[in-house]
């Protein structure tokens, strides 16, 4: 995959947002100098970047930009003399610059774990995102994302781990730079690459755990769940099914992910039509957590298409409340 220069990348993102009706102001300022340790206002996790690429000299380019009215940092790192290979990309910004991106906006991501509020995904290219409580920054939070332009299938397990570490260790250095008070996690020893698990509802242990008991499952004719590992991912999802027939899917959004989803639902009400929603006030960088239940449109064995789960508002609200309570508890939010 050819490498995109940061200015080209940001320009493409802005054009895409304009086309979608989502416009944020962006301006860029190059950070001069050649020392990797000076990049991203001195917050780049240099050793993590070196470990990803292995031996050889690295080059880096950093920019400061205005995103949603708040100063943010973009950095790219690549091997010197290689303009067509893999590039590591970082974004460091205050939580108030709320547009989620990368792993933080991915419902199929797994929790990054190791004491962090954050997500990791390797579905196409590996991406990681972490959120840290940070009172000095707008939105009371620091949001850091890391990704590489090289496809997951072309990377080693060690390189996938380094993408997660680049996010967490850059966040650690940035937290010191901005005098953040939030509790930081540990340097990841591994990444969870678990795919969606399909299992009987009574055996749910991940994002669907505690959502329906045996009596409610029988009433709703739910027999199967599709879930990811439970933890503190910034977006997570649970799907309930009757065998292979989809009935409901529920999604939890935290931090920038929640702000973005609430913004979109407000600006484009059709995206939330017929959905059950609720919000929970959390502390620190998470802010308001947002939860949504949608009846799944699916094709039944008899060939009929549509939403086959119950439409009873009381049942749907209770189902969403159970999911929100279990998810919010993992993220340290008060009981719903």
């Amino acid at each position: 995959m050819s490498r995109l220069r940061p200015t080209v990348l940001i320009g493409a993102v802005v054009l895409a947002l304009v086309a979608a009706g989502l416009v944020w102001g962006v301006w860029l300022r190059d950070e001069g100098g050649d020392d990797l340790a000076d990049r991203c206002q001195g917050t780049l996790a240099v050793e993590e970047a070196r470990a990803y690429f292995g031996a050889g000299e690295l080059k880096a380019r950093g920019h400061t930009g205005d995103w949603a009215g708040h100063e943010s940092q973009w950095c790219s790192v690549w091997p010197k003399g290689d303009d067509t290979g893999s590039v590591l990309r970082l974004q460091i910004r205050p939580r108030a610059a709320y547009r989620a991106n990368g792993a933080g906006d991915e419902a199929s991501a797994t929790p990054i774990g190791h004491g962090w509020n954050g997500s990791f995904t390797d579905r196409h290219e590996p991406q990681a995102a972490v959120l840290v409580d940070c009172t000095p920054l707008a939105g009371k939070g620091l949001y850091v994302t890391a990704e590489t332009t090289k496809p997951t299938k072309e990377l080693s397990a060690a390189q996938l781990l380094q993408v997660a570490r680049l996010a967490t260790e850059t966040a650690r250095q940035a937290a010191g730079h901005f005098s953040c008070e939030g509790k930081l996690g540990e340097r990841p020893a591994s990444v969870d690459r678990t795919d969606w698990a399909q299992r009987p509802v009574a055996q749910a242990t991940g994002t669907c755990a505690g959502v329906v008991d045996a009596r409610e499952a029988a009433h709703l004719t739910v027999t199967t769940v599709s879930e990811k590992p439970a933890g503190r991912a910034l977006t997570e999802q649970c799907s309930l099914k009757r065998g292979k027939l989809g009935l409901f899917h529920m999604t939890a959004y935290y931090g920038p992910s929640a702000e973005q989803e609430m913004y979109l639902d407000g600006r484009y009400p059709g995206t939330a039509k017929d959905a059950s929603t609720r919000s929970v006030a959390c502390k620190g960088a998470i802010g308001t957590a947002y939860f949504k239940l949608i009846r799944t449109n699916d094709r039944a064995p008899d060939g009929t298409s549509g939403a086959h789960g119950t439409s009873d508002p009381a049942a749907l609200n209770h189902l969403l409340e159970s999911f929100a309570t279990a998810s919010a508890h993992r993220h340290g939010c008060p009981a719903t």
Side-chain angles (χ1 to χ4, degrees):
M1 179 180 294
S2 62
R3 185 174 65 83
L4 296 179
R5 294 287 184 181
T7 50
V8 175
L9 171 66
I10 298 304
V13 170
V14 174
L15 289 175
L17 292 175
V18 171
L22 309 178
V23 181
W24 287 266
V26 177
W27 57 269
L28 301 177
R29 183 178 69 238
D30 195 6
E31 290 181 338
D34 293 326
D35 190 345
L36 289 178
D38 292 336
R39 295 308 185 184
C40 292
Q41 295 183 338
T43 62
L44 173 65
V46 175
E47 293 309 310
E48 312 300 329
R50 293 191 191 282
Y52 172 86
F53 287 110
E57 186 176 351
L58 301 182
K59 296 288 290 183
R61 181 177 295 277
H63 294 86
T64 300
D66 182 287
W67 193 261
H70 300 280
E71 184 174 281
S72 303
Q73 294 284 326
W74 287 267
C75 287
S76 295
V77 184
W78 66 95
K80 184 177 181 180
D82 183 0
D83 289 339
T84 60
S86 180
V87 180
L88 287 175
R89 296 195 292 233
L90 277 164
Q91 187 179 150
I92 304 166
R93 55 184 168 87
R95 147 77 167 72
Y98 62 86
R99 179 180 174 265
N101 65 305
D105 189 35
E106 179 56 69
S108 66
T110 54
I112 204 166
H114 306 282
W116 298 91
N117 280 324
S119 304
F120 176 84
T121 180
D122 64 353
R123 190 171 63 165
H124 301 297
E125 296 87 19
Q127 301 174 329
V130 292
L131 182 65
V132 177
D133 289 346
C134 193
T135 300
L137 292 179
K140 299 182 180 179
L142 168 70
Y143 184 62
V144 177
T145 66
E147 63 182 10
T148 179
T149 60
K150 203 162 190 177
T152 295
K153 62 184 179 181
E154 297 180 18
L155 298 172
S156 67
Q159 286 177 305
L160 297 179
L161 175 58
Q162 286 308 122
V163 174
R165 287 176 171 176
L166 185 68
T168 63
E169 302 317 296
T170 295
R172 190 185 309 282
Q173 294 188 198
H177 175 82
F178 292 110
S179 300
C180 300
E181 80 290 352
K183 182 179 179 181
L184 304 177
E186 300 176 354
R187 183 172 181 262
S190 61
V191 289
D192 190 341
R193 302 180 63 188
T194 305
D195 203 351
W196 291 100
Q198 317 290 326
R199 51 175 61 107
V201 63
Q203 297 177 21
T205 58
T207 50
C208 293
V211 174
V212 290
D213 58 24
R215 181 178 179 180
E216 188 173 22
H219 175 69
L220 296 172
T221 67
V222 172
T223 63
T224 310
V225 302
S226 178
E227 61 179 359
K228 295 286 285 189
R232 287 155 54 188
L234 300 178
T235 303
E236 61 181 25
Q237 194 169 91
C238 162
S239 295
L240 303 181
K241 302 180 177 183
R242 184 190 308 140
K244 295 182 178 180
L245 177 67
L247 299 177
F248 318 100
H249 68 264
M250 295 170 288
T251 310
Y253 305 89
Y254 295 92
S257 177
E259 290 294 325
Q260 176 172 275
E261 193 67 16
M262 288 187 288
Y263 168 82
L264 291 171
D265 283 352
R267 186 177 178 89
Y268 307 102
T271 62
K273 184 180 179 181
D274 299 327
S276 299
T277 64
R278 66 186 298 116
S279 58
V280 175
C282 303
K283 296 180 180 180
I286 287 179
T288 299
Y290 188 54
F291 307 90
K292 184 187 292 189
L293 180 151
I294 297 176
R295 297 172 66 217
T296 307
N297 286 315
D298 207 349
R299 183 180 294 276
D302 62 5
T304 58
S305 297
H308 297 276
T310 181
S311 59
D312 176 35
L316 296 178
N317 286 333
H318 184 263
L319 191 59
L320 182 60
E321 181 180 5
S322 297
F323 171 69
T325 298
S327 179
H329 177 73
R330 291 194 296 271
H331 289 77
C333 299
T336 61

